[in-house]
Amino acid sequence: MKLLVTGGAGYVGSVCARVLLEAGHDITIVDNLSTGNADAVPDGARFVEGNVRDVAATVLDPGDVDGVVHFAAQSLVGESVENPQKYWHGNVVETLALLDAMRDAGTPRLVFSSTAATYGEPESVPILESSPARPTNPYGATKLAIDTAISGYCAAYGLAATSLRYFNVAGAHGGAGENRVIETHLIPIVLQAALGHRAGVKIFGTDYPTDDGTAVRDYIHVYDLAQAHALALQASTPGRHDIFNLGSGTGFSVRQVIDTCMTVTGAEIPVEETGRRAGDPAVLIASSDKAIAELGWKPDRTDLSVIVSDAWDFTRSLGDRAHSARA
Ligand code: UDP
């Protein structure tokens, strides 16, 4: 297929662009490089630098593009609480412009990066797609608003769309991985500490109602996640908006993640226990049964040590290109 990948210079977008290229698709990437890295754009993809709302209409030639995989977004929960304007504009306004450009050009398919943050604090785990969507921060709220808009565009204009609600994405593939200027995610932070780019890692909360008192999350390998995007493009149906959760179905506590990182890296990582981070639920675990049944998705890198080991290989390979090395 001829595909437009927005946000293809970011972490998940650049891995997914590689996987789609490997599958034989023709890829154009649009990214404004506000958080992405130009060196993450894979060889073999065309690259257009710009905001989605500014360039979507020019890169979507009428009748020419088979689908859009939309990753470009603002995605820091804490920042979204402090600066919701950036999120409502950066996520919702940009995506509405994309949806309008797709409608005008007759682009038939969309795969959208949604998030577990649309569910907020779950009533029970594992979380099903039918669980109530009650986001607890503007990031999740903007992604849910986009999901709602997409449903309307599918019903009224015949768009075929799939929203993929990611749980905790980690790992690396094909020379692409996590290398953010501002890093807030647990696994890359612990690995940066293992490399000596940070003094250590803080555990946010040790009084959660979990076995060891630290928060539990469902970590999914970015390669498995990318495979789901390729399947979603094939499976989409005009007029339908399908929503799938994507996780590994197993929860790991913050302490278990840190212990796995120490085993994989062989490094002793200093740990400091601090209070909870605002807005963090105790336990988030996905049910991905729907994606497995309906998309034929077969995650096969679900072992946490494989996820951490791939992330570690990538982190070490960065050398001077690591933003954390320059911090
Ligand atoms: N976490 C932590 N220390 C850190 C970063 C994260 O204890 O330096 C915890 C965080 O509170 C959450 C879990 O690790 O319980 C995963 O956080 P992350 O930011 O990676 O993903 P999130 O679940 O927020 O999407």
Side-chain angles (χ1 to χ4, degrees):
M1 289 187 208
K2 197 165 180 185
L3 300 172
L4 172 65
V5 176
T6 75
Y11 167 46
V12 177
S14 67
V15 171
C16 202
R18 278 166 175 73
V19 167
L20 293 170
L21 282 165
E22 286 162 13
H25 297 291
D26 175 290
I27 305 291
T28 298
I29 287 174
V30 168
D31 198 301
N32 65 8
L33 300 181
S34 62
T35 55
N37 300 304
D39 63 12
V41 171
D43 292 340
R46 273 178 298 283
F47 177 55
V48 179
E49 185 176 341
N51 293 320
V52 169
R53 69 168 184 277
D54 297 328
V55 301
T58 47
V59 291
L60 289 172
D61 288 333
D64 186 45
V65 177
D66 299 300
V68 176
V69 192
H70 181 39
F71 298 99
Q74 306 296 328
S75 62
L76 299 177
V77 168
E79 184 186 55
S80 79
V81 175
E82 280 155 29
N83 190 0
Q85 192 256 6
K86 182 172 177 182
Y87 281 71
W88 286 99
H89 284 264
N91 292 349
V92 177
V93 174
E94 292 280 333
T95 305
L96 290 177
L98 174 67
L99 289 173
D100 289 344
M102 290 178 69
R103 189 179 66 135
D104 292 346
T107 311
R109 287 176 200 82
L110 173 69
V111 177
F112 173 61
S113 292
S114 190
T115 169
T118 53
Y119 296 111
E121 185 80 51
E123 282 167 3
S124 59
V125 291
I127 300 172
L128 298 166
E129 290 81 355
S130 55
S131 304
R134 290 192 289 246
T136 52
N137 52 63
Y139 167 61
T142 60
K143 290 282 184 169
L144 182 61
I146 295 166
D147 277 343
T148 308
I150 290 172
S151 293
Y153 275 60
C154 289
Y157 310 130
L159 178 68
T162 308
S163 291
L164 300 176
R165 292 189 170 162
Y166 312 163
F167 282 63
N168 288 63
V169 190
H173 172 71
E178 293 178 89
N179 184 22
R180 301 183 183 89
V181 175
I182 300 170
E183 188 53 80
T184 63
H185 296 94
L186 181 62
I187 289 177
I189 282 178
V190 181
L191 296 180
Q192 288 168 10
L195 258 189
H197 292 176
R198 292 176 185 265
V201 54
K202 289 183 177 161
I203 297 182
F204 297 145
T206 53
D207 59 348
Y208 284 103
T210 59
D211 286 349
D212 67 15
T214 66
V216 168
R217 294 289 181 273
D218 181 338
Y219 294 87
I220 171 174
H221 197 295
V222 68
Y223 178 76
D224 285 337
L225 186 81
Q227 294 294 344
H229 292 72
L231 292 166
L233 281 165
Q234 306 291 348
S236 58
T237 309
R240 271 186 65 146
H241 179 205
D242 289 311
I243 296 179
F244 297 100
N245 291 342
L246 296 175
S248 298
T250 310
F252 293 95
S253 71
V254 173
R255 278 193 210 283
Q256 287 176 313
V257 170
I258 295 171
D259 287 347
T260 303
C261 290
M262 290 209 235
T263 305
V264 166
T265 63
E268 192 57 41
I269 298 161
V271 167
E272 183 191 339
E273 296 180 3
T274 62
R276 296 184 182 191
R277 190 169 68 178
D280 273 351
V283 179
L284 292 177
I285 300 173
S287 165
S288 305
D289 291 353
K290 188 179 171 199
I292 291 166
E294 295 182 22
L295 291 177
W297 185 54
K298 296 190 187 75
D300 70 356
R301 301 189 188 180
T302 53
D303 187 331
L304 185 62
S305 45
V306 171
I307 295 174
V308 169
S309 169
D310 287 352
W312 178 232
D313 289 346
F314 171 76
T315 304
R316 279 188 303 176
S317 75
L318 282 170
D320 291 346
R321 289 185 296 125
H323 290 296
S324 58
R326 300 175 204 143

